[in-house]
Amino acid sequence: MLTAILAITLLALILGLVLGFAAIRFKVEGDPIADQIDKILPQTQCGQCSFAGCRPYAEAIAAGEVDINRCPPGGEATIHALADLLEVEFKPLDEECGVEKPKMLAVIDEDRCIGCTLCIQACPVDAILGAAKHMHTVIASECTGCELCLPPCPVDCIDMVETKPKPNTWRWPDPAHIDLKLGDQP
Amino acid sequence: MPLSRLSSPFLAGTNRVTLQMLQLLAALIPAIIAIVYFFGPSVLITMTLAVVVALLAEAILLRLRNRPLKPFLTDGSAVVTAVLLAIALPPLAPWWLTVTGILFAIIFAKHLYGGLGYNPFNPAMVAYVLLLISFPLEMTTWLPVANLSEHPLDISSAFQFIFNGQLTSSIDTVSGATPLDAMKTQIGLHQIPAYIFQQPVFGLWGGKGWEWINLWLAVGGVFLLYRRVISWHIPVAMLIGLSTISLVTWLIAPELTGSPLFHLISGGTMLGAFFIATDPVTASTTVKGKIVFGAGVGLLTYIIRVWGGYPDGVAFAVLIMNMLVPLIDYYTQPKVYGAVKR
Amino acid sequence: MTQKLGSFPGGLKLNGQKKRSTQVAIRKMPLSKKLILPLQQHIGEASIPIVSVGDKVLKGQKIAKAEGHVSVALHAPSSGTIIAIDEQPIPHPSGLSALCISIETDGEDQWIKRQPIKDFTEHTEHEIRQLIRDAGIVGLGGAGFPSFIKLNPGVHHHVETLIINGVECEPYITCDDMIMRERAEGILDGIEIMCYALHVKNCVIAIEDNKPEAISALELALGARPHLKETNVVVIPTRYPTGSEKQLIQVVTGKQVPTGGLPIDIGIVSHNVGTTYAIARSIKHGEPLISRIVTVTGREVEHAGNFETLFGTPMHELLEFCGTKRQPEEPFILGGPMMGYNLSGDHLPVTKTANCIIVGVDDGAKASTPLPCIRCGECATACPVSLLPQQLYWHSRAKDLDKAKEYNLFDCIECGCCSYVCPSEIPLVHYFRFAKTEIMNQQQEHAKADIARIRHENRLARLELEQQEKELRQQQRKAALAATQAAKVKQAAELPTEPQTTDSQETQ
């Protein structure tokens, strides 16, 4: 009996030493988790998650303060990716934050623009070109579709337009939806 | 005329799952005839019972899983499982043995894993092993061939025995061991294999009757190879694996077991080599992997037969190798075109 | 001439179906009233129009210029008027539209002044390449890569062998076969020009053994050109997909193109026979690329054959010319049955990459629901690139795209051998195409997100800087104000005391 206790204790000590050594010797230097989360977020900077941009949201998730399902532009794909990264359960998108929509771009109606620069100040990625009393225009390739420019505009001249697919950005449809019409196949 | 597919290719070969299964069944016919010749018509009853129960079970399971019936019931995979199990079971196996086995195979070993293509273990072998472990007596009770040739069993008596458990004809005894069983137990009693071979249960090179069945199974296997239903890698690897280890052992310690030829044509060797280990769903898929898989089955079969606790090791060997398939597949990936040596 | 040939694993022996369209010589498709020319008929950047609506153009006139390096020019296939530069449906599996120049032909078919070159050796290799680029020549085997780029060995590479691809391994397609039979001289002219541009002497014309007439035509033409003694016709056993560039190189030379590399990395350049002929026409006759041979074949085509067709010809006109029992909007295959697309638009134009149209495929794939994968491994056995299509299928299906990339998804040439042999009739190539576009889309989104992040951070930094400057200025102003106040007080203290009468009088 005594020998058994001694043997197990000795084994535990040895293994503990090995683990401790491994923890120090093979320590992996990686990104701080907030950076990794920020890499996954779509960078729309829209604030629908109730944080002032993607970086603050990423830091809040890293600190464990909020859920991972608060990003509508990222959609389900982002929530899955975050769940995989943080090894937590997937949760469907929080309806309070918004709904998943197709990618839209802001377009300024030039006939109605009065050149007030309020939208320029609102855009989180500086995608609107213009100056006071001059025409404003959205740089389409930089617009993230965050819709933050819509409220400040006093003449409501900004519309959100769905992006038209082009042949070289077209994606093949998912075959699993087309061919396997076998009841409720996942 | 509308085109079927959204994406090319718009041509299709003639290879189909149902066709493969039908050819497999056709390849089994000569062996089934041999079994009927040596062991009586009871195997046909067992087979019919197994097929009917298999299809019924599959239909019920498909309904429960909300899958369409027609493509899956007609693909032939359940029928093949049933037929293989019926061949592996002893003749005059009671009806409840067959039913339990086939139900377990279809429900647990196939559908609960996801149905056709998703099961990691060979369903027929899972059922066989379950029955072997749970009902060892019934599973090791084989009709002696010698007796049968003197008192042939007709179909109605077979029917009665299977469903009632009673025999009306004049057979004295219905229990006996298989040749492998006899070899193993006698060796355990320190008999010499050469003397054991004199017993009436043995024939020319292997078990009486068994050698012919194995031979016809091999012929069926060659037919499948010719028709390209199976590729040569697994059967050849298994037979070579089995022959090599048995040859080496026989040369070193011939008192341990029978000759390599004995092992090749006894028990489930040929059935395993051409029909069971080659099951595409549960075997390795890469070319090198198939050779490793087959060799593993051959080696393990012999090891279990000689040093293990059961007279025949094919079923266990196949199941153990099934477990190792993902590992084998991972390490035997072919070198892709243009891959640069690192 | 016998040569030791290599081979590739897998592949298929397919029914060629070539007889139907090789009974008659190449015919000319009559001029259409309207020609629709997409600005992107090649890999790379789309061309930029240099004409406007209403302009009158002549046959062979340049109407769009190359944009960026990987691009070529576009020319009017016939004389007429530019009636539109707008979005039109293009032959693409998506069914989407793209920018096209539409020409209404005037029936005159009047050429611009052409500048044929009698002796191309009087020009430098660079000039030859620019002429080829300006002639709008792209790979006519189906891919459409700008040919001038593949005629530039660059300073780091040395070309050992030029391979002319006359293999045409896909069933139904016979345009290369016919051009080899009828225009062998032109092909050899093209070879001479290409050898000059690439500084290479050794040339191999690879032809499959199911084209005996083409083989004899080229061997005969070669016999009359003793100076091309290092050019040889090599007969290759018929097997699909030998015509694919990488597989052809493996068969002809036994070497493999390294992953992510190009054939020039192992000293090989390969061009299609049609491209070779077009190069000869452009240099020797001064004719830009304005037409190509299109095979029209299939069960439902009455007069199957090969047709010299101007680009921009609407496809349904070509099909009507051949007598097709086709309903309007009924789908047809563009390309071969193994790698082509099925399209159904009626006004889709013939482009530089349209090599074949098939209406009615024999032994076509039936519309059946696929069974689950039975893991038989036939797909891996058939794959000419030694991939594991089964693993790619499982991972593409599970949308596990990183794993799919690990299994070399982007090395897949989409030849269709795996789908062809699958007993469960799974549309494997569709899964791989889906996975590829998903991955490319993801990469684009990540790139955009990275830029958006940088812009946002810059904006925050800018606002921060403005805030700091504002505060600094405020502080400075405060300091300045305080200084002036202090100075005033000091001044007031130093002044001699005077009667305050004037002040008090002013304040009243």
Side-chain angles (χ1 to χ4, degrees), chain C residues 460-488:
Chain C
L460 290 177
R462 187 193 82 221
L463 292 174
E464 174 86 22
L465 194 65
E466 280 176 8
Q467 185 73 6
Q468 281 176 347
E469 281 177 359
K470 198 165 150 195
E471 279 173 14
L472 191 66
R473 274 199 304 273
Q474 268 191 341
Q475 277 180 347
Q476 283 176 336
R477 246 183 275 127
K478 260 202 187 141
L481 194 64
T484 39
Q485 287 284 49
K488 263 200 184 138

PDB file of all heavy atoms in Angstrom, chain C residues 460-488:
ATOM      1  N   LEU C 460      -8.561  57.588 -37.397  1.00  0.00           N
ATOM      2  CA  LEU C 460      -8.511  57.841 -35.958  1.00  0.00           C
ATOM      3  C   LEU C 460      -7.249  58.607 -35.609  1.00  0.00           C
ATOM      4  O   LEU C 460      -7.283  59.546 -34.806  1.00  0.00           O
ATOM      5  CB  LEU C 460      -8.547  56.510 -35.195  1.00  0.00           C
ATOM      6  CG  LEU C 460      -9.876  55.750 -35.231  1.00  0.00           C
ATOM      7  CD1 LEU C 460      -9.756  54.429 -34.493  1.00  0.00           C
ATOM      8  CD2 LEU C 460     -10.992  56.576 -34.618  1.00  0.00           C
ATOM      9  N   ALA C 461      -6.152  58.211 -36.249  1.00  0.00           N
ATOM     10  CA  ALA C 461      -4.894  58.917 -35.983  1.00  0.00           C
ATOM     11  C   ALA C 461      -4.990  60.369 -36.417  1.00  0.00           C
ATOM     12  O   ALA C 461      -4.527  61.275 -35.721  1.00  0.00           O
ATOM     13  CB  ALA C 461      -3.753  58.220 -36.715  1.00  0.00           C
ATOM     14  N   ARG C 462      -5.620  60.576 -37.560  1.00  0.00           N
ATOM     15  CA  ARG C 462      -5.757  61.940 -38.079  1.00  0.00           C
ATOM     16  C   ARG C 462      -6.610  62.788 -37.136  1.00  0.00           C
ATOM     17  O   ARG C 462      -6.283  63.939 -36.831  1.00  0.00           O
ATOM     18  CB  ARG C 462      -6.391  61.891 -39.466  1.00  0.00           C
ATOM     19  CG  ARG C 462      -6.432  63.245 -40.169  1.00  0.00           C
ATOM     20  CD  ARG C 462      -7.326  63.218 -41.384  1.00  0.00           C
ATOM     21  NE  ARG C 462      -8.723  63.387 -40.992  1.00  0.00           N
ATOM     22  CZ  ARG C 462      -9.739  62.716 -41.502  1.00  0.00           C
ATOM     23  NH1 ARG C 462      -9.530  61.818 -42.420  1.00  0.00           N
ATOM     24  NH2 ARG C 462     -10.962  62.939 -41.094  1.00  0.00           N
ATOM     25  N   LEU C 463      -7.724  62.216 -36.680  1.00  0.00           N
ATOM     26  CA  LEU C 463      -8.595  62.957 -35.766  1.00  0.00           C
ATOM     27  C   LEU C 463      -7.859  63.271 -34.474  1.00  0.00           C
ATOM     28  O   LEU C 463      -7.960  64.373 -33.920  1.00  0.00           O
ATOM     29  CB  LEU C 463      -9.862  62.133 -35.467  1.00  0.00           C
ATOM     30  CG  LEU C 463     -10.823  61.952 -36.637  1.00  0.00           C
ATOM     31  CD1 LEU C 463     -11.951  61.013 -36.248  1.00  0.00           C
ATOM     32  CD2 LEU C 463     -11.393  63.282 -37.092  1.00  0.00           C
ATOM     33  N   GLU C 464      -7.094  62.287 -34.014  1.00  0.00           N
ATOM     34  CA  GLU C 464      -6.316  62.476 -32.793  1.00  0.00           C
ATOM     35  C   GLU C 464      -5.331  63.625 -32.976  1.00  0.00           C
ATOM     36  O   GLU C 464      -5.192  64.508 -32.128  1.00  0.00           O
ATOM     37  CB  GLU C 464      -5.571  61.147 -32.520  1.00  0.00           C
ATOM     38  CG  GLU C 464      -4.614  61.185 -31.381  1.00  0.00           C
ATOM     39  CD  GLU C 464      -5.290  60.890 -30.061  1.00  0.00           C
ATOM     40  OE1 GLU C 464      -6.369  60.264 -30.076  1.00  0.00           O
ATOM     41  OE2 GLU C 464      -4.760  61.300 -29.038  1.00  0.00           O
ATOM     42  N   LEU C 465      -4.674  63.616 -34.139  1.00  0.00           N
ATOM     43  CA  LEU C 465      -3.688  64.657 -34.430  1.00  0.00           C
ATOM     44  C   LEU C 465      -4.354  66.027 -34.483  1.00  0.00           C
ATOM     45  O   LEU C 465      -3.854  67.021 -33.922  1.00  0.00           O
ATOM     46  CB  LEU C 465      -3.009  64.351 -35.774  1.00  0.00           C
ATOM     47  CG  LEU C 465      -1.734  65.134 -36.077  1.00  0.00           C
ATOM     48  CD1 LEU C 465      -0.673  64.739 -35.070  1.00  0.00           C
ATOM     49  CD2 LEU C 465      -1.255  64.834 -37.492  1.00  0.00           C
ATOM     50  N   GLU C 466      -5.524  66.080 -35.151  1.00  0.00           N
ATOM     51  CA  GLU C 466      -6.241  67.356 -35.245  1.00  0.00           C
ATOM     52  C   GLU C 466      -6.608  67.856 -33.856  1.00  0.00           C
ATOM     53  O   GLU C 466      -6.489  69.045 -33.550  1.00  0.00           O
ATOM     54  CB  GLU C 466      -7.516  67.183 -36.072  1.00  0.00           C
ATOM     55  CG  GLU C 466      -7.273  67.198 -37.567  1.00  0.00           C
ATOM     56  CD  GLU C 466      -8.551  66.921 -38.352  1.00  0.00           C
ATOM     57  OE1 GLU C 466      -9.644  66.863 -37.748  1.00  0.00           O
ATOM     58  OE2 GLU C 466      -8.452  66.763 -39.572  1.00  0.00           O
ATOM     59  N   GLN C 467      -7.047  66.924 -33.033  1.00  0.00           N
ATOM     60  CA  GLN C 467      -7.433  67.276 -31.678  1.00  0.00           C
ATOM     61  C   GLN C 467      -6.239  67.849 -30.933  1.00  0.00           C
ATOM     62  O   GLN C 467      -6.345  68.889 -30.260  1.00  0.00           O
ATOM     63  CB  GLN C 467      -7.953  66.014 -30.966  1.00  0.00           C
ATOM     64  CG  GLN C 467      -8.500  66.240 -29.590  1.00  0.00           C
ATOM     65  CD  GLN C 467      -9.851  66.942 -29.620  1.00  0.00           C
ATOM     66  OE1 GLN C 467     -10.437  67.159 -30.682  1.00  0.00           O
ATOM     67  NE2 GLN C 467     -10.316  67.342 -28.475  1.00  0.00           N
ATOM     68  N   GLN C 468      -5.109  67.203 -31.080  1.00  0.00           N
ATOM     69  CA  GLN C 468      -3.901  67.659 -30.384  1.00  0.00           C
ATOM     70  C   GLN C 468      -3.494  69.045 -30.876  1.00  0.00           C
ATOM     71  O   GLN C 468      -3.163  69.931 -30.080  1.00  0.00           O
ATOM     72  CB  GLN C 468      -2.741  66.688 -30.623  1.00  0.00           C
ATOM     73  CG  GLN C 468      -2.825  65.464 -29.763  1.00  0.00           C
ATOM     74  CD  GLN C 468      -1.721  64.491 -30.092  1.00  0.00           C
ATOM     75  OE1 GLN C 468      -1.042  64.625 -31.109  1.00  0.00           O
ATOM     76  NE2 GLN C 468      -1.529  63.517 -29.243  1.00  0.00           N
ATOM     77  N   GLU C 469      -3.557  69.217 -32.174  1.00  0.00           N
ATOM     78  CA  GLU C 469      -3.163  70.513 -32.727  1.00  0.00           C
ATOM     79  C   GLU C 469      -4.102  71.599 -32.232  1.00  0.00           C
ATOM     80  O   GLU C 469      -3.693  72.708 -31.892  1.00  0.00           O
ATOM     81  CB  GLU C 469      -3.199  70.467 -34.247  1.00  0.00           C
ATOM     82  CG  GLU C 469      -1.978  69.795 -34.849  1.00  0.00           C
ATOM     83  CD  GLU C 469      -2.087  69.691 -36.363  1.00  0.00           C
ATOM     84  OE1 GLU C 469      -3.113  70.129 -36.918  1.00  0.00           O
ATOM     85  OE2 GLU C 469      -1.140  69.171 -36.949  1.00  0.00           O
ATOM     86  N   LYS C 470      -5.370  71.228 -32.171  1.00  0.00           N
ATOM     87  CA  LYS C 470      -6.357  72.209 -31.709  1.00  0.00           C
ATOM     88  C   LYS C 470      -6.035  72.627 -30.286  1.00  0.00           C
ATOM     89  O   LYS C 470      -6.018  73.819 -29.941  1.00  0.00           O
ATOM     90  CB  LYS C 470      -7.736  71.544 -31.774  1.00  0.00           C
ATOM     91  CG  LYS C 470      -8.902  72.505 -31.743  1.00  0.00           C
ATOM     92  CD  LYS C 470     -10.176  71.775 -32.178  1.00  0.00           C
ATOM     93  CE  LYS C 470     -11.391  72.380 -31.499  1.00  0.00           C
ATOM     94  NZ  LYS C 470     -12.562  71.530 -31.599  1.00  0.00           N
ATOM     95  N   GLU C 471      -5.769  71.623 -29.463  1.00  0.00           N
ATOM     96  CA  GLU C 471      -5.461  71.933 -28.059  1.00  0.00           C
ATOM     97  C   GLU C 471      -4.201  72.769 -27.953  1.00  0.00           C
ATOM     98  O   GLU C 471      -4.127  73.719 -27.168  1.00  0.00           O
ATOM     99  CB  GLU C 471      -5.288  70.630 -27.267  1.00  0.00           C
ATOM    100  CG  GLU C 471      -6.618  70.035 -26.872  1.00  0.00           C
ATOM    101  CD  GLU C 471      -6.441  68.672 -26.254  1.00  0.00           C
ATOM    102  OE1 GLU C 471      -5.297  68.306 -25.900  1.00  0.00           O
ATOM    103  OE2 GLU C 471      -7.441  67.957 -26.133  1.00  0.00           O
ATOM    104  N   LEU C 472      -3.226  72.421 -28.783  1.00  0.00           N
ATOM    105  CA  LEU C 472      -1.957  73.160 -28.753  1.00  0.00           C
ATOM    106  C   LEU C 472      -2.204  74.620 -29.115  1.00  0.00           C
ATOM    107  O   LEU C 472      -1.722  75.539 -28.453  1.00  0.00           O
ATOM    108  CB  LEU C 472      -0.970  72.512 -29.735  1.00  0.00           C
ATOM    109  CG  LEU C 472       0.472  73.009 -29.623  1.00  0.00           C
ATOM    110  CD1 LEU C 472       1.026  72.586 -28.275  1.00  0.00           C
ATOM    111  CD2 LEU C 472       1.316  72.461 -30.751  1.00  0.00           C
ATOM    112  N   ARG C 473      -3.012  74.796 -30.168  1.00  0.00           N
ATOM    113  CA  ARG C 473      -3.294  76.157 -30.603  1.00  0.00           C
ATOM    114  C   ARG C 473      -4.017  76.927 -29.498  1.00  0.00           C
ATOM    115  O   ARG C 473      -3.742  78.083 -29.211  1.00  0.00           O
ATOM    116  CB  ARG C 473      -4.150  76.158 -31.871  1.00  0.00           C
ATOM    117  CG  ARG C 473      -3.350  76.057 -33.159  1.00  0.00           C
ATOM    118  CD  ARG C 473      -4.181  76.521 -34.353  1.00  0.00           C
ATOM    119  NE  ARG C 473      -5.430  75.773 -34.474  1.00  0.00           N
ATOM    120  CZ  ARG C 473      -5.553  74.622 -35.133  1.00  0.00           C
ATOM    121  NH1 ARG C 473      -4.514  74.093 -35.717  1.00  0.00           N
ATOM    122  NH2 ARG C 473      -6.701  73.997 -35.175  1.00  0.00           N
ATOM    123  N   GLN C 474      -4.978  76.239 -28.890  1.00  0.00           N
ATOM    124  CA  GLN C 474      -5.735  76.880 -27.807  1.00  0.00           C
ATOM    125  C   GLN C 474      -4.811  77.307 -26.690  1.00  0.00           C
ATOM    126  O   GLN C 474      -4.905  78.428 -26.165  1.00  0.00           O
ATOM    127  CB  GLN C 474      -6.777  75.908 -27.253  1.00  0.00           C
ATOM    128  CG  GLN C 474      -8.116  76.039 -27.919  1.00  0.00           C
ATOM    129  CD  GLN C 474      -9.188  75.276 -27.184  1.00  0.00           C
ATOM    130  OE1 GLN C 474      -8.910  74.391 -26.395  1.00  0.00           O
ATOM    131  NE2 GLN C 474     -10.416  75.651 -27.421  1.00  0.00           N
ATOM    132  N   GLN C 475      -3.919  76.417 -26.366  1.00  0.00           N
ATOM    133  CA  GLN C 475      -2.978  76.738 -25.299  1.00  0.00           C
ATOM    134  C   GLN C 475      -2.118  77.928 -25.673  1.00  0.00           C
ATOM    135  O   GLN C 475      -1.880  78.831 -24.870  1.00  0.00           O
ATOM    136  CB  GLN C 475      -2.059  75.533 -25.016  1.00  0.00           C
ATOM    137  CG  GLN C 475      -2.688  74.525 -24.087  1.00  0.00           C
ATOM    138  CD  GLN C 475      -1.768  73.371 -23.837  1.00  0.00           C
ATOM    139  OE1 GLN C 475      -0.768  73.197 -24.531  1.00  0.00           O
ATOM    140  NE2 GLN C 475      -2.070  72.586 -22.834  1.00  0.00           N
ATOM    141  N   GLN C 476      -1.692  77.904 -26.929  1.00  0.00           N
ATOM    142  CA  GLN C 476      -0.834  79.002 -27.388  1.00  0.00           C
ATOM    143  C   GLN C 476      -1.585  80.330 -27.332  1.00  0.00           C
ATOM    144  O   GLN C 476      -1.064  81.348 -26.889  1.00  0.00           O
ATOM    145  CB  GLN C 476      -0.364  78.757 -28.820  1.00  0.00           C
ATOM    146  CG  GLN C 476       0.747  77.726 -28.902  1.00  0.00           C
ATOM    147  CD  GLN C 476       1.129  77.433 -30.341  1.00  0.00           C
ATOM    148  OE1 GLN C 476       0.325  77.631 -31.247  1.00  0.00           O
ATOM    149  NE2 GLN C 476       2.344  76.983 -30.541  1.00  0.00           N
ATOM    150  N   ARG C 477      -2.870  80.244 -27.776  1.00  0.00           N
ATOM    151  CA  ARG C 477      -3.666  81.465 -27.765  1.00  0.00           C
ATOM    152  C   ARG C 477      -3.845  81.959 -26.342  1.00  0.00           C
ATOM    153  O   ARG C 477      -3.741  83.139 -26.035  1.00  0.00           O
ATOM    154  CB  ARG C 477      -5.035  81.226 -28.401  1.00  0.00           C
ATOM    155  CG  ARG C 477      -5.206  82.014 -29.710  1.00  0.00           C
ATOM    156  CD  ARG C 477      -6.555  81.869 -30.332  1.00  0.00           C
ATOM    157  NE  ARG C 477      -6.623  80.679 -31.169  1.00  0.00           N
ATOM    158  CZ  ARG C 477      -7.542  79.749 -31.071  1.00  0.00           C
ATOM    159  NH1 ARG C 477      -8.486  79.838 -30.172  1.00  0.00           N
ATOM    160  NH2 ARG C 477      -7.534  78.720 -31.864  1.00  0.00           N
ATOM    161  N   LYS C 478      -4.117  81.003 -25.475  1.00  0.00           N
ATOM    162  CA  LYS C 478      -4.286  81.382 -24.068  1.00  0.00           C
ATOM    163  C   LYS C 478      -3.031  82.034 -23.544  1.00  0.00           C
ATOM    164  O   LYS C 478      -3.060  83.083 -22.885  1.00  0.00           O
ATOM    165  CB  LYS C 478      -4.551  80.111 -23.239  1.00  0.00           C
ATOM    166  CG  LYS C 478      -5.964  79.872 -22.903  1.00  0.00           C
ATOM    167  CD  LYS C 478      -6.066  78.949 -21.682  1.00  0.00           C
ATOM    168  CE  LYS C 478      -7.524  78.567 -21.468  1.00  0.00           C
ATOM    169  NZ  LYS C 478      -7.647  77.193 -21.072  1.00  0.00           N
ATOM    170  N   ALA C 479      -1.939  81.385 -23.879  1.00  0.00           N
ATOM    171  CA  ALA C 479      -0.643  81.921 -23.410  1.00  0.00           C
ATOM    172  C   ALA C 479      -0.427  83.308 -23.982  1.00  0.00           C
ATOM    173  O   ALA C 479      -0.016  84.235 -23.275  1.00  0.00           O
ATOM    174  CB  ALA C 479       0.478  80.980 -23.825  1.00  0.00           C
ATOM    175  N   ALA C 480      -0.732  83.452 -25.276  1.00  0.00           N
ATOM    176  CA  ALA C 480      -0.547  84.762 -25.918  1.00  0.00           C
ATOM    177  C   ALA C 480      -1.444  85.811 -25.272  1.00  0.00           C
ATOM    178  O   ALA C 480      -1.029  86.927 -24.984  1.00  0.00           O
ATOM    179  CB  ALA C 480      -0.858  84.652 -27.406  1.00  0.00           C
ATOM    180  N   LEU C 481      -2.695  85.422 -25.019  1.00  0.00           N
ATOM    181  CA  LEU C 481      -3.651  86.333 -24.390  1.00  0.00           C
ATOM    182  C   LEU C 481      -3.154  86.746 -23.011  1.00  0.00           C
ATOM    183  O   LEU C 481      -3.139  87.930 -22.654  1.00  0.00           O
ATOM    184  CB  LEU C 481      -5.019  85.639 -24.285  1.00  0.00           C
ATOM    185  CG  LEU C 481      -6.180  86.594 -23.964  1.00  0.00           C
ATOM    186  CD1 LEU C 481      -6.358  87.584 -25.087  1.00  0.00           C
ATOM    187  CD2 LEU C 481      -7.445  85.829 -23.725  1.00  0.00           C
ATOM    188  N   ALA C 482      -2.742  85.720 -22.301  1.00  0.00           N
ATOM    189  CA  ALA C 482      -2.223  86.014 -20.943  1.00  0.00           C
ATOM    190  C   ALA C 482      -1.032  86.957 -21.029  1.00  0.00           C
ATOM    191  O   ALA C 482      -0.915  87.907 -20.250  1.00  0.00           O
ATOM    192  CB  ALA C 482      -1.832  84.702 -20.263  1.00  0.00           C
ATOM    193  N   ALA C 483      -0.213  86.730 -22.006  1.00  0.00           N
ATOM    194  CA  ALA C 483       0.987  87.607 -22.148  1.00  0.00           C
ATOM    195  C   ALA C 483       0.578  89.045 -22.446  1.00  0.00           C
ATOM    196  O   ALA C 483       1.085  89.990 -21.835  1.00  0.00           O
ATOM    197  CB  ALA C 483       1.884  87.053 -23.248  1.00  0.00           C
ATOM    198  N   THR C 484      -0.363  89.215 -23.398  1.00  0.00           N
ATOM    199  CA  THR C 484      -0.781  90.585 -23.733  1.00  0.00           C
ATOM    200  C   THR C 484      -1.451  91.235 -22.539  1.00  0.00           C
ATOM    201  O   THR C 484      -1.255  92.420 -22.268  1.00  0.00           O
ATOM    202  CB  THR C 484      -1.747  90.634 -24.933  1.00  0.00           C
ATOM    203  OG1 THR C 484      -2.644  89.518 -24.830  1.00  0.00           O
ATOM    204  CG2 THR C 484      -0.992  90.574 -26.246  1.00  0.00           C
ATOM    205  N   GLN C 485      -2.242  90.450 -21.804  1.00  0.00           N
ATOM    206  CA  GLN C 485      -2.914  91.011 -20.615  1.00  0.00           C
ATOM    207  C   GLN C 485      -1.872  91.507 -19.614  1.00  0.00           C
ATOM    208  O   GLN C 485      -1.942  92.635 -19.118  1.00  0.00           O
ATOM    209  CB  GLN C 485      -3.777  89.922 -19.925  1.00  0.00           C
ATOM    210  CG  GLN C 485      -5.047  89.569 -20.680  1.00  0.00           C
ATOM    211  CD  GLN C 485      -6.121  90.620 -20.519  1.00  0.00           C
ATOM    212  OE1 GLN C 485      -5.880  91.821 -20.684  1.00  0.00           O
ATOM    213  NE2 GLN C 485      -7.326  90.197 -20.203  1.00  0.00           N
ATOM    214  N   ALA C 486      -0.926  90.625 -19.428  1.00  0.00           N
ATOM    215  CA  ALA C 486       0.128  90.989 -18.456  1.00  0.00           C
ATOM    216  C   ALA C 486       0.864  92.234 -18.907  1.00  0.00           C
ATOM    217  O   ALA C 486       1.127  93.153 -18.115  1.00  0.00           O
ATOM    218  CB  ALA C 486       1.099  89.821 -18.290  1.00  0.00           C
ATOM    219  N   ALA C 487       1.128  92.302 -20.222  1.00  0.00           N
ATOM    220  CA  ALA C 487       1.848  93.483 -20.755  1.00  0.00           C
ATOM    221  C   ALA C 487       1.023  94.746 -20.556  1.00  0.00           C
ATOM    222  O   ALA C 487       1.535  95.804 -20.174  1.00  0.00           O
ATOM    223  CB  ALA C 487       2.130  93.252 -22.245  1.00  0.00           C
ATOM    224  N   LYS C 488      -0.285  94.618 -20.797  1.00  0.00           N
ATOM    225  CA  LYS C 488      -1.168  95.787 -20.648  1.00  0.00           C
ATOM    226  C   LYS C 488      -1.143  96.309 -19.217  1.00  0.00           C
ATOM    227  O   LYS C 488      -1.014  97.501 -18.942  1.00  0.00           O
ATOM    228  CB  LYS C 488      -2.608  95.378 -21.008  1.00  0.00           C
ATOM    229  CG  LYS C 488      -3.011  95.709 -22.430  1.00  0.00           C
ATOM    230  CD  LYS C 488      -4.527  95.738 -22.564  1.00  0.00           C
ATOM    231  CE  LYS C 488      -4.892  95.967 -24.023  1.00  0.00           C
ATOM    232  NZ  LYS C 488      -5.971  95.134 -24.415  1.00  0.00           N
TER     233      LYS C 488
END
